[in-house]
Amino acid sequence: MQSHDTLPGGPGRLAVLQRHLVAVPVSGQVSSVSHPTDFQYTLDNGVLSLAQRQFYEENGFLVVKNMVTAGDLEIYRKAFEGICKKEVSAPGLVVMRDVAILNSEYVPDQKAITKIQDFQEVPDLFNYCTLPQILKYVECFTGPNIMAMHTMLINKPPDAGKKTSRHPLHQDLHYFPFRPADLVVCAWTAMERIDRSNGCLVVLPGTHKGTLKQHDYPEWEGGVNKMYHGIRDFDPNNPRVHLVMEKGDTVFFHPLLIHGSGMNRTAGFRKAISCHYASADCNYIPVKGTTQEGIEKEVAEIAGKRFGINVELKTAAPSSCLWID
Ligand SMILES: CC(C)CC(=O)SCCNC(=O)CCNC(=O)[C@H](O)C(C)(C)COP(=O)(O)OP(=O)(O)OC[C@H]1O[C@@H](n2cnc3c(N)ncnc32)[C@H](O)[C@@H]1OP(=O)(O)O
Ligand SMILES: Nc1ncnc2c1ncn2[C@@H]1O[C@H](COP(=O)(O)OP(=O)(O)OP(=O)(O)O)[C@@H](O)[C@H]1O
Ligand SMILES: O=C(O)CCC(=O)C(=O)O
Ligand SMILES: [Fe+2]
Ligand SMILES: [Mg+2]
């Protein structure tokens, strides 16, 4: 392992938490049973029960109910609204519109925006990534030195009739050129009730034990959003679990877990907020010659257009953690 300063991108580019969390046992959550030592995906810091650890080891995800208060979610909703109304902006923030409405007249409200990414410079949103109750769980996967690598607020629009509101089945590690994967975890919180009607997360349990698969654009007639790559050869017989979640519920999942999200058949914009965390012991890897080479090229092209210059990525990187010479 290299030193802790190997991972962050340029100065001010990445939001680095590097908190040393004190593992405080929480009443009712800590198992008095001593945990086996052969777990690969979880650490024993006294937060996860044995059953929770076994579940994550086996399935690659864990839902924890009622993690974020309605009050905090309201703050995130307001901050998002401010960004949509262009009252708030921040360095690095990426605002994305759904491919189905790209050519419609641009109305600067939340109805036009499908997702924002890299909100680390928006304090009211980055607050989510620093919530102690979330970090306490994150530590069970990453260990105590935690970095926030990639942030998103997803505002899945009512489907415009072309099924573009779906997110194809994928592994998030495809977008991340750092390892080891087992020290990376996503926290994803439902900002309202999310079920099959508004496009819940769909996971293929146990797939975190596999390898990173080839990702390509799915051949969808109605179009696909930029960089929404999908896995072509997932096992159609692998059971799928639709994660129905209440407001504030949070799922932690492994970056190799195959997942996607369904079409939003409602008239509302379904909202979720997420952060990918990694251990400060992770290191960037070169992706030349790997399945991630194509996404590196796409990221470099977008960065080049956005900044109006030719950029050389120091390493393959998703929009969240690229940096520029
Ligand atoms: C773990 C995690 C990373 C997993 C994921 O989230 S997977 C999906 C990740 N997706 C992304 O990271 C894409 C992030 N989005 C962006 O970078 C931006 O929204 C862009 C797609 C570059 C658009 O930026 P924007 O500032 O709107 O720039 P422009 O309006 O000048 O558009 C530039 C070119 O992009 C096209 N575009 C914009 N939005 C989309 C879209 N939703 N789907 C497909 N193509 C799109 C747009 O038509 C334009 O194309 P050209 O005129 O250059 O040919
Ligand atoms: N033709 C497809 N190719 C690739 N991925 C798909 C396809 N259809 C759906 N998906 C993705 O696969 C996942 C699971 O699909 P599935 O049909 O089981 O559930 P859903 O579409 O999310 O929910 P529902 O069927 O209840 O609307 C979703 O994340 C969806 O985006
Ligand atoms: O639909 C969502 O909220 C999550 C989509 C997803 O998996 C992602 O952006 O990586
Ligand atoms: Fe994902
Ligand atoms: Mg379906």
Side-chain angles (χ1 to χ4, degrees):
M1 292 295 170
Q2 294 176 18
S3 65
H4 286 168
D5 61 3
T6 48
L7 235 182
R13 188 70 189 89
L14 278 183
V16 182
L17 293 176
Q18 293 192 312
R19 287 174 174 232
H20 283 268
L21 296 179
V22 181
V24 182
V26 177
S27 167
Q29 285 185 311
V30 179
S31 166
S32 58
V33 184
S34 68
H35 293 195
T37 51
D38 60 346
F39 285 147
Q40 178 181 344
Y41 302 102
T42 59
L43 305 165
D44 187 5
N45 67 348
V47 173
L48 296 186
S49 68
L50 181 57
Q52 285 176 313
R53 288 188 73 187
Q54 279 167 336
F55 188 89
Y56 189 91
E57 294 280 332
E58 200 50 41
N59 295 287
F61 69 95
L62 180 70
V63 177
V64 183
K65 297 202 68 64
N66 210 13
M67 285 279 284
V68 182
T69 65
D72 282 344
L73 294 174
E74 190 51 33
I75 292 171
Y76 311 148
R77 192 177 279 269
K78 284 261 154 57
F80 176 68
E81 225 176 274
I83 289 166
C84 295
K85 289 181 177 158
K86 298 201 167 170
E87 292 163 3
V88 176
S89 68
L93 189 68
V94 174
V95 175
M96 186 174 193
R97 288 188 288 150
D98 189 272
V99 66
I101 54 170
L102 276 187
N103 296 323
S104 60
E105 193 185 348
Y106 181 59
V107 187
D109 71 1
Q110 66 157 321
K111 295 194 172 152
I113 293 176
T114 192
K115 187 187 243 193
I116 58 171
Q117 297 189 101
D118 298 336
F119 56 62
Q120 64 274 5
E121 302 291 344
V122 183
D124 276 354
L125 289 175
F126 191 65
N127 169 270
Y128 168 74
C129 308
T130 67
L131 289 174
Q133 69 272 33
I134 300 255
L135 290 173
K136 197 179 73 175
Y137 277 87
V138 168
E139 189 191 358
C140 304
F141 310 105
T142 62
N145 292 321
I146 306 169
M147 301 191 298
M149 302 301 293
H150 182 255
T151 53
M152 291 190 281
L153 193 155
I154 305 130
N155 186 48
K156 193 189 273 287
D159 200 273
K162 297 188 165 178
K163 300 187 183 172
T164 55
S165 65
R166 290 178 298 177
H167 200 127
L169 292 169
H170 66 283
Q171 295 162 303
D172 289 346
L173 195 68
H174 175 61
Y175 299 91
F176 298 143
F178 44 83
R179 302 289 187 276
D182 293 347
L183 296 181
V184 178
V185 72
C186 178
W188 183 101
T189 300
M191 294 176 67
E192 60 197 291
R193 182 185 155 86
I194 302 183
D195 57 27
R196 290 178 84 145
S197 70
N198 56 2
C200 60
L201 280 190
V202 182
V203 301
L204 274 54
T207 49
H208 67 301
K209 294 178 191 167
T211 53
L212 183 59
K213 306 264 184 288
Q214 177 71 43
H215 287 62
D216 297 295
Y217 281 108
E219 284 160 14
W220 286 351
E221 280 174 26
V224 187
N225 277 307
K226 189 82 175 158
M227 285 203 247
Y228 277 39
H229 297 181
I231 299 174
R232 268 171 212 258
D233 70 338
F234 59 85
D235 176 4
N237 297 318
N238 198 309
R240 292 175 187 179
V241 175
H242 290 75
L243 297 182
V244 174
M245 291 167 62
E246 300 299 332
K247 185 172 179 172
D249 292 355
T250 299
V251 59
F252 297 90
F253 64 92
H254 189 281
L256 282 170
L257 184 77
I258 299 178
H259 65 285
S261 63
M263 182 162 121
N264 182 359
R265 296 185 180 81
T266 69
F269 291 74
R270 88 78 165 126
K271 289 182 179 54
I273 187 164
S274 76
C275 180
H276 283 86
Y277 299 92
S279 160
D281 286 334
C282 285
N283 291 301
Y284 280 115
I285 54 152
V287 297
K288 198 167 170 48
T290 74
T291 57
Q292 290 178 269
E293 204 171 346
I295 187 73
E296 175 184 46
K297 200 159 163 264
E298 250 187 88
V299 169
E301 277 167 14
I302 288 185
K305 276 190 190 170
R306 189 173 303 153
F307 298 109
I309 47 169
N310 280 332
V311 296
E312 187 195 329
L313 300 182
K314 275 212 165 170
T315 177
S319 56
S320 60
C321 56
L322 59 86
W323 72 93
I324 295 161
D325 279 329

